[in-house]
Each structure stands twice: as structure tokens, then as C-alpha cells.
């Protein structure tokens, strides 16, 4: 079986959702789908890693809504509309932590609207942004960047621009990050002459 070649994802840009240390030597990029069960399983793992390492890593979230998930695009739109009011990460957490509550609904949009209300958003702006061309283009740009990089499933993780096999839980993910941190630290230590 031939391995699929993956190219490096698009460079980090100002419009990416980033948290952590902006000048970190270790960057995790996740291409994710809010309705993906595996993405929801990784959510608490990533939160724990980030809470422990926010001063040493940078985390970038990118949308990759899969067509088989009927609410994935709307969930992305809700997070972007919240992000336009400075609440992306709060909406991200709300959507992932409640996936079981909305994933099987006929229409999840009212649920996402309730989340926006709970976050105290300006609802007129939220509703306008939710359906805006700008929000839809940003999500599509994330998606197309992922497709260009060879991604076809979620979640897909890159560490320092290199695609990794999805880690088997927290301990394995922590080890990969620690190795990346150690490697970058060791690369900055001058070798003895």
C-alpha cells in the first residue's frame, strides 16, 4: 500500500484562530470538524495539553467540515460568527462539549443560536455574521487549504508543519509535543567545539 503524500498546510495567517504562545517553537495545527466524533474525543485531550503547555505551544484551529456531517458547516459558521465578537474559543468549547446534544437533531442551528445567547453575543450581529459571505469564505478557505495539503479525514494534526499519525490518547500526544519541544530546545543549544 502506497503512503499518501501530504504537503505542508498553509502558513499561519492573521485570520487563523490561534491560542497559546505566539512565539512558541512548537505549533500544533488541527484540521477539524465540529460534528466529527473523533474530533470530539480529542477535544478534552487538546484542552488538557493546552492548559498544561500554553506558555510553550501554539495551537491553531482550522475548519474542515466533512460533507457527511449535516451540522458541521453550521457549527463552523456559529464559531466564526462568535469569533467576530471575540468569543471563538468559548463557542468552540461549547460546541465540542455538547456534541451529543445536537449531533442528531434535524436542525442544530437553533441550538447554536442558544449558545450565542448564553455567550452574551450581540444577536443581530451574530445572525448576520452566521450567514455572511465572509464567514462562509473563511471556512471554505480552511477547507480548500486542507484539501490542497492532502487531508481527507478529521481530525488531522500537524506539528511544526509535519503531519503526524493521530496519537492514541493524551500520553502519546504529550510525548510527541515533548519530543518537539526537546528537539527545538536542543537545536538552539550550540554544539561543543
Amino acid at each position: 500500500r502506497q503512503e499518501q503524500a501530504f504537503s505542508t498546510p498553509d502558513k499561519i495567517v492573521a485570520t487563523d484562530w490561534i491560542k497559546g504562545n505566539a512565539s512558541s517553537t512548537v505549533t500544533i495545527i488541527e484540521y477539524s470538524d465540529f460534528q466529527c466524533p473523533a474530533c470530539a474525543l480529542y477535544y478534552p485531550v487538546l484542552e488538557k495539553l493546552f492548559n498544561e503547555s500554553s506558555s510553550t505551544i501554539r495551537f491553531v484551529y482550522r475548519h474542515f467540515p466533512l460533507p457527511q456531517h449535516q451540522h458541521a458547516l453550521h457549527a463552523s459558521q456559529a464559531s466564526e460568527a462568535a469569533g467576530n465578537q471575540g468569543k471563538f474559543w468559548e463557542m468552540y468549547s461549547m460546541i465540542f462539549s455538547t456534541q451529543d446534544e445536537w449531533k442528531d437533531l434535524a436542525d442544530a442551528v437553533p441550538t447554536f443560536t442558544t449558545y450565542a445567547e448564553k455567550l452574551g453575543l450581540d444577536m443581530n450581529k451574530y445572525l448576520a455574521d452566521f450567514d455572511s459571505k465572509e464567514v462562509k469564505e473563511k471556512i471554505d478557505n480552511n477547507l480548500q487549504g486542507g484539501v490542497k495539503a492532502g487531508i481527507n479525514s478529521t481530525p488531522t494534526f500537524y506539528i511544526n508543519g509535519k503531519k503526524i499519525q493521530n496519537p492514541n490518547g493524551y500520553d502519546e500526544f504529550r510525548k510527541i509535543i515533548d519530543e518537539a519541544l526537546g528537539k527545538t530546545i536542543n537545536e538552539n543549544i550550540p554544539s561543543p567545539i
Side-chain angles (χ1 to χ4, degrees):
R1 180 190 121 165
Q2 190 173 0
E3 280 295 308
Q4 182 177 0
F6 283 87
S7 63
T8 305
D10 292 332
K11 291 194 181 324
I12 295 169
V13 294
T15 56
D16 276 324
W17 294 113
I18 303 168
K19 64 180 180 175
N21 183 344
S23 60
S24 173
T25 56
V26 176
T27 299
I28 301 168
I29 297 175
E30 177 186 14
Y31 283 86
S32 181
D33 171 325
F34 282 114
Q35 197 173 351
C36 160
C39 296
L41 288 173
Y42 274 103
Y43 164 73
V45 170
L46 289 164
E47 287 297 288
K48 182 177 179 185
L49 286 167
F50 182 77
N51 289 334
E52 292 175 354
S53 307
S54 62
S55 64
T56 55
I57 64 171
R58 175 170 55 171
F59 176 63
V60 179
Y61 181 88
R62 291 192 177 152
H63 302 282
F64 201 82
L66 297 169
Q68 64 267 35
H69 293 147
Q70 67 173 350
H71 304 310
L73 180 58
H74 287 145
S76 290
Q77 287 172 237
S79 70
E80 284 295 324
N84 285 346
Q85 296 185 51
K87 299 275 186 170
F88 172 82
W89 293 108
E90 292 84 348
M91 183 65 89
Y92 158 94
S93 293
M94 226 177 230
I95 291 172
F96 269 132
S97 63
T98 62
Q99 188 190 80
D100 284 342
E101 296 170 23
W102 56 262
K103 68 179 183 182
D104 296 322
L105 296 174
D107 181 4
V109 172
T111 302
F112 302 144
T113 302
T114 301
Y115 296 167
E117 289 168 347
K118 285 182 183 174
L119 291 173
L121 299 181
D122 172 332
M123 293 309 296
N124 289 329
K125 179 168 175 37
Y126 169 83
L127 293 169
D129 287 347
F130 182 92
D131 280 320
S132 72
K133 179 182 171 196
E134 292 78 18
V135 159
K136 291 175 181 173
E137 281 180 355
K138 180 176 179 188
I139 295 163
D140 190 57
N141 287 341
N142 278 187
L143 182 66
Q144 295 312 316
V147 168
K148 192 176 79 183
I151 295 169
N152 60 7
S153 63
T154 57
T156 296
F157 297 102
Y158 286 82
I159 293 186
N160 291 347
K162 183 174 183 257
K163 183 181 179 291
I164 62 167
Q165 285 296 105
N166 284 359
N168 189 10
Y170 169 82
D171 292 334
E172 197 173 304
F173 218 136
R174 171 89 260 160
K175 184 175 180 231
I176 293 168
I177 290 170
D178 288 344
E179 285 172 1
L181 284 166
K183 183 177 180 195
T184 57
I185 289 166
N186 290 336
E187 286 172 355
N188 293 327
I189 298 172
S191 55
I193 297 175

